Amino acid sequence: MKKLHITMATMGLAMLLASCASKKAVVDNTPTQTQATTPTQTGTQTPSTRSTDAAATQAAVYLKKVLDNQVYAKNVVGDMTFNITMGSKDVTVPGSVHMRRDEVIRLQLFIPLLGTEVGRVEFSPGRVLIVDRMHKEYIEADYNQLDFLKNNGLNFYSLQALFWNELLVPGQKSVGEGDFPKFSVSGTNVKLTNGNMTYNWTTSAKGQIVMTNVNYASAKSGASSLLWMYSDFKTLGTKQFPAHQNFQFSTSSSNQLKTVKVNIDMNEVKDKSDWDAKTVVSNKYKKVEPTDILGKLLKF
């Protein structure tokens, strides 16, 4: 396998993840959906008010069901088969997933058969680390230093929610019952809006998230979409975690439609804690600017 293909797989993943969050959330007032607002408690209620309160209560009950499907585990660890498609390039390599709640999301890519690590993408609350072991180069920066992350309002906790199969409120660490008024519910679909950004979650009847769809539309910047699908749920503690995650990012912001697709297929899901949550890069590696590596991939 060519070195460029390995680097493409590592960096392409980072580019894809850069576009899946925004900083603020606002309440969606779409009339065809039910806002999970707190029922009115003042004065005599009209039939219309009572109906609205009942619908809001029903929405809140369903959102609680969705939250109750979140795993309790502190860690999610497993080997994986990783596939990325960018334009005409299609790369499949073995790898591993190491995630520790509120600390790190780490994806490692290996050379087939040999098992040698060739690339690593690591997100933590305070930094982004991308390591290209083939060329002994790395990027290490906080989120505001990386334009391709900052311009998309990336937040570590939003990424964590996507990987951990959870609801999210952009810019927040987690979602609680106090956030329910920010969501709207229609059947088994949950929605949150933020200006030009729209977040839609499709759930099963028992409230398990099976798909997250994020859409951005702007007359100036074009349209972008992130579709994240979950399947092959495996037991992790007393809950279920999606061992197969398939996500794709499409954008027309450069006046040319580009799509990146990623498949992560974990053969096991474990709550293992015997690993270090922070990567220390060898002083033999060269620190480079994001555009030095990403520039190669933006031409795909």
Side-chain angles (χ1 to χ4, degrees):
M1 180 176 294
K2 296 180 179 179
K3 292 182 178 180
L4 177 61
H5 285 187
I6 297 293
T7 304
M8 181 192 74
T10 306
M11 301 306 299
L13 174 62
M15 292 170 62
L16 176 109
L17 297 180
S19 303
C20 60
S22 62
K23 291 180 179 178
K24 299 177 181 178
V26 297
V27 177
D28 175 24
N29 292 313
T30 306
T32 58
Q33 296 180 317
T34 302
Q35 293 292 136
T37 53
T38 301
T40 303
Q41 299 295 328
T42 59
T44 302
Q45 295 183 334
T46 66
S48 176
T49 300
R50 287 195 295 271
S51 176
T52 300
D53 290 349
T57 300
Q58 184 178 4
V61 168
Y62 192 77
L63 288 168
K64 181 64 165 57
K65 179 188 292 188
V66 176
L67 288 189
D68 286 345
N69 278 290
Q70 296 180 182
V71 299
Y72 298 137
K74 175 70 174 178
N75 302 277
V76 175
V77 176
D79 294 331
M80 70 168 174
T81 298
F82 176 90
N83 171 265
I84 185 168
T85 303
M86 300 173 64
S88 62
K89 307 296 192 304
D90 191 326
V91 181
T92 299
V93 294
S96 70
V97 177
H98 286 75
M99 300 192 294
R100 182 165 293 161
R101 185 177 291 278
D102 298 336
E103 294 187 41
V104 69
I105 300 166
R106 179 187 299 155
L107 303 182
Q108 296 165 263
L109 307 181
F110 306 136
I111 295 177
L113 300 180
L114 298 179
T116 303
E117 182 181 324
V118 292
R120 177 178 297 205
V121 179
E122 184 172 290
F123 294 94
S124 59
R127 72 168 185 173
V128 178
L129 176 68
I130 304 170
V131 182
D132 175 6
R133 299 202 185 280
M134 298 294 292
H135 300 93
K136 296 189 181 303
E137 296 177 340
Y138 73 99
I139 296 168
E140 183 178 25
D142 65 43
Y143 292 82
N144 289 329
Q145 289 177 285
L146 300 177
D147 287 343
F148 72 100
L149 296 180
K150 181 178 65 176
N151 291 344
N152 287 283
L154 184 72
N155 177 280
F156 167 78
Y157 298 105
S158 296
L159 274 178
Q160 177 171 264
L162 288 166
F163 273 104
W164 286 68
N165 190 228
E166 298 173 352
L167 296 175
L168 68 91
V169 173
Q172 292 189 191
K173 186 175 181 179
S174 60
V175 175
E177 293 185 33
D179 296 308
F180 286 175
K182 300 172 184 177
F183 297 89
S184 57
V185 178
S186 177
T188 57
N189 296 311
V190 179
K191 182 178 180 180
L192 175 71
T193 61
N194 172 35
N196 292 328
M197 299 287 291
T198 304
Y199 298 80
N200 287 281
W201 291 269
T202 301
T203 71
S204 65
K206 65 178 183 179
Q208 187 79 62
I209 297 172
V210 295
M211 182 173 69
T212 302
N213 192 358
V214 184
N215 289 282
Y216 173 84
S218 168
K220 180 179 179 180
S221 303
S224 300
S225 66
L226 175 72
L227 184 65
W228 202 299
M229 293 173 284
Y230 309 90
S231 59
D232 189 21
F233 286 84
K234 296 183 182 297
T235 299
L236 184 63
T238 60
K239 302 293 183 177
Q240 297 286 308
F241 186 85
H244 186 204
Q245 300 191 20
N246 172 286
F247 46 101
Q248 66 179 53
F249 173 66
S250 299
T251 181
S252 60
S253 59
S254 60
N255 296 320
Q256 180 181 359
L257 182 62
K258 294 183 178 181
T259 300
V260 184
K261 298 179 181 179
V262 169
N263 275 287
I264 293 176
D265 194 2
M266 302 173 66
N267 60 14
E268 60 182 354
V269 178
K270 296 182 178 180
D271 182 4
K272 296 177 60 177
S273 60
D274 57 344
W275 54 280
D276 195 338
K278 185 173 182 178
T279 296
V280 178
V281 182
S282 169
N283 56 17
K284 297 180 180 180
Y285 282 60
K286 177 184 177 182
K287 185 175 182 180
V288 298
E289 296 298 320
T291 53
D292 291 343
I293 295 178
L294 295 177
K296 303 174 186 177
L297 300 173
L298 291 172
K299 299 178 181 179
F300 77 88

